[in-house]
Amino acid sequence: GEPSLDLILAQAAAEATVAAAEALGADEAVTRALGAEAAKPVAKLANVAKSAAEAAVHEKVDGMKLANDEPAKRAHAEDGTKIAVVAKTAAEQAKAGAKAAHAQTEESLGLDVWVAAAAADEAQVEAEAIRETLEKVTKPADRDFVEAHLQTAERASETAKMASAKAAADEAQSAYLSTEEEKAGVEADARTAAGEAKVAVMESQRAASEVLDRVGPTKGAAILDVAKASTYVVNELMKLWQ
């Protein structure tokens, strides 16, 4: 025979609850990897699944109370089943959305790591250009100014180098992790490290341009050359990256 109405009610509630848990898990994974803004479409679907699960549980509770009113109980069972379908559909869409977002992140993560490497290269070249400039500067006040800025640029270069290496290592590690959650965590770390490299190159750029302002284009020719060569590359990359 056909399953009892109690069984149908219980099954609908259970299926809807599992679907909601899956949808909420997908939402959490995207939020961790990409932030709340990127996760909005998935979060909406997760909320639909969650509301549907709550509604299916209500149908079950209300339906099971009705021992003697079979038509009313059947109506609750039918509603519960329909609601479970809504929850499952929302969960499937949430998981598909999370997968699509994840595929985009994997591509953009590669870009982030590449930007971090470019930033580290640029910071190093800028520090070297400031060092070359220091050799041409004779006035003590100017020398002190350039030396202080050289230290800033060297620190920035070191930071960018370490951050870039960390981003690359995290990206490589994420390929070997099995769970989405672990992957999301490591990819978030890689992004953070790439962000640090980006901040560091801005510091070295600032140091170099301040030195150039102070000593002029003749003594600061090395800085001028670096600026011409690299600003384009980094600016183009930064545009892709925002």
Side-chain angles (χ1 to χ4, degrees):
E2 72 175 333
S4 74
L5 293 174
D6 279 355
L7 183 64
I8 292 171
L9 285 163
Q11 197 174 347
E15 284 178 358
T17 304
V18 168
E22 287 180 342
L24 291 164
D27 175 25
E28 197 185 327
V30 179
T31 303
R32 274 188 56 178
L34 296 179
E37 194 55 35
K40 266 186 184 164
V42 178
K44 263 191 194 148
L45 291 162
N47 283 333
V48 170
K50 184 168 167 255
S51 302
E54 285 163 6
V57 170
H58 280 299
E59 295 295 339
K60 173 185 134 178
V61 170
D62 293 346
M64 284 184 171
K65 283 181 196 156
L66 302 166
N68 306 320
D69 188 346
E70 175 146 353
K73 191 174 211 166
R74 186 173 294 282
H76 280 295
E78 284 169 1
D79 286 348
T81 303
K82 281 181 198 147
I83 293 165
V85 171
V86 171
K88 286 190 278 191
T89 306
E92 287 310 314
Q93 290 176 339
K95 286 191 284 187
K99 247 201 194 100
H102 196 70
Q104 281 175 333
T105 35
E106 289 194 328
E107 281 168 32
S108 72
L109 182 64
L111 181 62
D112 285 9
V113 172
W114 185 49
V115 170
D121 287 346
E122 167 151 357
Q124 190 182 349
V125 172
E126 264 151 7
E128 285 164 6
I130 297 173
R131 202 175 297 116
E132 270 181 57
T133 305
L134 181 61
E135 290 165 10
K136 298 179 184 169
V137 175
T138 46
K139 272 205 309 209
D142 284 352
R143 280 189 72 82
D144 289 349
F145 181 91
V146 175
E147 258 171 359
H149 281 66
L150 175 58
Q151 283 177 356
T152 301
E154 282 176 338
R155 268 198 309 273
S157 169
E158 200 52 41
T159 302
K161 206 191 316 181
M162 285 165 70
S164 167
K166 167 100 171 68
D170 284 339
E171 184 197 24
Q173 192 195 346
S174 85
Y176 295 103
L177 294 173
S178 50
T179 73
E180 289 303 300
E181 200 174 23
E182 285 175 319
K183 264 190 200 297
V186 173
E187 286 172 10
D189 290 350
R191 279 201 161 60
T192 302
E196 285 164 4
K198 181 181 169 184
V199 170
V201 76
M202 286 172 176
E203 281 172 24
S204 68
Q205 281 174 334
R206 192 182 307 122
S209 69
E210 284 173 8
V211 168
L212 186 60
D213 287 349
R214 177 78 178 236
V215 302
T218 310
K219 286 182 179 151
I223 295 172
L224 210 52
D225 289 346
V226 170
K228 277 182 199 152
S230 61
T231 307
Y232 170 75
V233 178
V234 168
N235 284 348
E236 285 309 297
L237 285 173
M238 294 306 178
K239 266 187 247 164
L240 283 172
W241 204 31
Q242 253 127 39

